Amino acid sequence: MHFDGFKLDERLQRAVKAAGYTEATAVQEAAIPHALEGRDLVGTAQTGTGKTAAFVLPLLQSLLTTPARRGHTRALIVTPTRELAEQINAAVRQLAKFTKIKSATVYGGVGFAPQEHALRQGTDIIVACPGRLLDHVGRGNARLGQVEILVLDEADRMLDMGFLPPVRKIAELTSERRQTMMFSATFAEELNRLSSDILTDPERIEVGLTAPATTIAHTLLPVASDRKMELLLKLLEEVQAKSVLIFTRTRHRADRVAAQIERTGRDAAVLHSSRSQSQRQKALDGFRSGRVKLLVATDLAARGLDVESISHVINYDIPDTADSYIHRIGRTGRAQRTGKGLTLVTADDRSTVRDIERALGEPITVREMEGFDYGQASLIASSKGGRGSAPTSWSSRSRGPKPGGWNRSSGRPMSHRH
C-alpha cells in the first residue's frame, strides 16, 4: 500500500515523500487506518518494522485536524530508554517538518531546566521516559490532564525494567477521553492486564517477526569460551569495515571488551545503561559520525539504535533468543546496503543456534578464521576427527551445515576480507 492511500494532510504527505517513504510496511498498513479513526490500538510488532511511523503519522494527523489547546501538551509518547526517546523524537520532527507542531524529550541523566520549560510551555508532543516524567509531575512542571493521545512504545521493555507502576500512574493522570496506543514485541500477562485497564475496546494488530534484510550475510565463528577475546581481536584485525557494532550480554563485559580493544590502539565507544547520558550521547555521536568505528553495546542500550552505515554486527555473546538475534543483526544491511552478521559461538550455544536457524528458515554458514590458533581442537566438524573436528553430535554432512551443527561449509575458510 502506498502512503498516498492514507489520505494524510498535505503537509504530512510532503514530509513522507521527503523522508523517502513510498510503500507502507505491514505494521503501518495494519495500524494507520485504525489509528486515523481514533481507535485505541494494541500492536504486536518488533523494532525495525516501521512501527514508529505507524503511530507518529496518525498522531500528527489528529493534532492537525482538531483544534489546538494552547498551553497544554496534546500528545505523550512513553518509552523505556533515553536512546529510543531521542530516536522517536527525531522521527516526529522529520514527519512534522512542514507543520508548526513542536516536540521535546524528557528523560533522566540531563538537567531539569530545558525539560521544565518545554512542559510548562505546553509543547505539543512530549516523548518521555516514565521516571523523569513523574519527577516533573511531582515538581508541578507537567500537566497531563489535557493529553489527547497516549502512546506506550516497547511496553515489554518497560515491564522488564519495572516501569509498569509508573506507566499506570501516568495513564491515570491523562484524560479519560484520550486515544491510547500500545506497542510491544511480546505480551506477558501483566501487559494484557494493563491493556484491559487503560485501553477502551482496542483494535488488535499483530505483525510477525520480520527477518533481517536479504543483503545481510550471516556467519558463525565457533571458538572455545576462553578464546573469544583473542578471536574477536583477530577478527577486528582482518575485517575491512567502516562501522562495527559489537554486542555483549552484560554491561561489565561491554566495558571489558572495549578496554581490551583500546589496548590494541583502536578507539571503541561503549553504550550501556550504567553510562551517564552525556557519555551515551558522546558514544552515539561519535559512532554515527564515523569518527569512532567500533561501538560495544548491550541489547537494552542499543534498542532503537538506527545507523544506516553499520557494515558489521558482531555478537561477542550470542543473544538469548532468535528474536534478539534478528533485532541485533537488523542493525546492519539497511537501506539496501550489504551487511555482515558475525556470531562467536561455543559448544553451549547449540540450542540457541538451532532456534535462530529455524527463525531464519535456513542454516547459517560456519567458518574458521584463517590464521587463528584454535589450540588442540576446533569446533568445526569433520566426521573423521582430529584437527578440524568436533563432537560427533554435530552434523558433518557435506551438503552444508545442518541447523544446530558445526560443520565446515563447502566454501573456503574465512579469508582476510569480511
Side-chain angles (χ1 to χ4, degrees):
M1 181 176 181
H2 288 270
F3 276 91
D4 293 345
F6 295 126
K7 302 190 184 307
L8 298 168
D9 184 282
E10 184 271 337
R11 291 163 288 183
L12 298 183
Q13 291 189 46
R14 284 172 60 200
V16 165
K17 289 177 182 176
Y21 298 166
T22 53
E23 293 187 3
T25 66
V27 68
Q28 291 161 359
E29 188 170 347
I32 289 176
H34 297 295
L36 287 173
E37 292 175 355
R39 292 284 305 274
D40 281 8
L41 198 66
V42 173
T44 305
Q46 301 287 326
T47 296
T49 56
K51 65 180 171 62
T52 302
F55 62 75
V56 169
L57 283 170
L59 183 156
L60 292 172
Q61 178 77 8
S62 178
L63 298 192
L64 289 171
T65 54
T66 55
R69 297 174 180 177
R70 296 188 179 279
H72 296 287
T73 294
R74 303 182 66 195
L76 176 61
I77 303 169
V78 183
T79 192
T81 69
R82 309 162 187 174
E83 286 74 27
L84 191 54
E86 286 292 350
Q87 192 78 33
I88 293 170
N89 193 44
V92 170
R93 290 181 173 177
Q94 181 183 49
L95 294 172
K97 65 187 297 184
F98 299 115
T99 76
K100 294 182 180 180
I101 293 173
K102 303 298 182 185
S103 65
T105 53
V106 171
Y107 49 70
V110 295
F112 274 84
Q115 299 175 1
E116 178 181 349
H117 177 73
L119 289 164
R120 286 186 175 276
Q121 193 179 38
T123 302
D124 300 303
I125 302 170
I126 294 293
V127 186
C129 294
R132 175 57 70 91
L133 180 61
L134 287 179
D135 284 346
H136 280 289
V137 170
R139 291 168 178 241
N141 299 333
R143 295 171 293 175
L144 306 181
Q146 301 297 322
V147 166
E148 303 162 33
I149 301 172
L150 173 64
V151 179
L152 307 179
D153 192 26
E154 305 226 355
D156 52 339
R157 290 284 169 168
M158 289 198 276
L159 171 64
D160 292 343
M161 296 169 71
F163 285 153
L164 248 57
V167 166
R168 283 184 176 276
K169 178 64 176 176
I170 289 167
E172 290 172 3
L173 294 171
T174 61
S175 168
E176 292 183 357
R177 299 186 301 276
R178 70 179 185 271
Q179 178 185 14
T180 307
M181 292 179 273
M182 182 165 73
F183 289 86
S184 183
T186 59
F187 271 86
E189 183 54 37
E190 295 94 326
L191 290 182
N192 285 322
R193 285 198 296 269
L194 178 68
S195 170
S196 299
D197 292 343
I198 70 172
L199 280 80
T200 303
D201 189 26
E203 183 70 31
R204 290 186 173 268
I205 64 165
E206 187 169 343
V207 177
L209 182 66
T210 301
T214 56
T215 54
I216 300 173
H218 305 260
T219 304
L220 299 175
L221 300 170
V223 65
S225 59
D226 61 350
R227 308 293 297 278
K228 287 172 75 172
M229 181 60 70
E230 295 174 62
L231 182 58
L232 174 66
L233 295 178
K234 176 68 173 175
L235 185 59
L236 293 177
E237 285 179 9
E238 304 295 341
V239 163
Q240 296 182 5
K242 299 176 183 176
S243 182
V244 182
L245 177 57
I246 302 167
F247 281 104
T248 64
R249 185 169 291 124
T250 67
R251 295 168 292 176
H252 301 297
R253 188 165 295 174
D255 287 333
R256 191 164 66 248
V257 167
Q260 291 276 20
I261 291 172
E262 291 193 323
R263 288 193 188 102
T264 68
R266 299 179 181 86
D267 287 334
V270 184
L271 192 67
H272 59 64
S273 58
S274 291
R275 308 286 281 181
S276 70
Q277 180 57 26
S278 60
Q279 289 174 320
R280 293 161 85 167
Q281 198 60 52
K282 182 179 178 181
L284 284 170
D285 290 345
F287 191 58
R288 285 195 174 105
S289 69
R291 181 172 47 81
V292 177
K293 298 186 183 303
L294 304 175
L295 178 65
V296 186
T298 58
D299 283 302
L300 185 60
R303 201 77 173 178
L305 177 63
D306 190 2
V307 180
E308 287 187 353
S309 61
I310 294 173
S311 59
H312 289 63
V313 170
I314 298 177
N315 291 314
Y316 182 83
D317 297 314
I318 197 169
D320 293 331
T321 65
D323 286 8
S324 294
Y325 176 87
I326 288 174
H327 170 75
R328 286 183 181 185
I329 297 298
R331 301 303 94 193
T332 187
R334 296 192 159 208
Q336 285 73 55
R337 291 181 172 88
T338 58
K340 294 188 183 296
L342 309 170
T343 302
L344 278 58
V345 288
T346 71
D348 293 333
D349 298 327
R350 285 175 287 184
S351 63
T352 305
V353 170
R354 281 195 293 270
D355 292 341
I356 292 169
E357 289 179 322
R358 288 191 193 103
L360 295 177
E362 60 184 7
I364 302 175
T365 300
V366 183
R367 289 283 187 266
E368 229 177 23
M369 270 290 292
E370 188 176 6
F372 181 74
D373 181 9
Y374 284 88
Q376 294 183 347
S378 166
L379 290 175
I380 297 183
S382 167
S383 58
K384 294 182 180 179
R387 176 74 176 97
S389 69
T392 55
S393 60
W394 302 112
S395 167
S396 59
R397 294 182 182 181
S398 61
R399 296 178 184 176
K402 179 181 179 180
W406 312 139
N407 74 293
R408 187 178 301 281
S409 74
S410 58
R412 296 186 297 275
M414 183 170 282
S415 67
H416 69 286
R417 293 193 177 206
H418 304 299

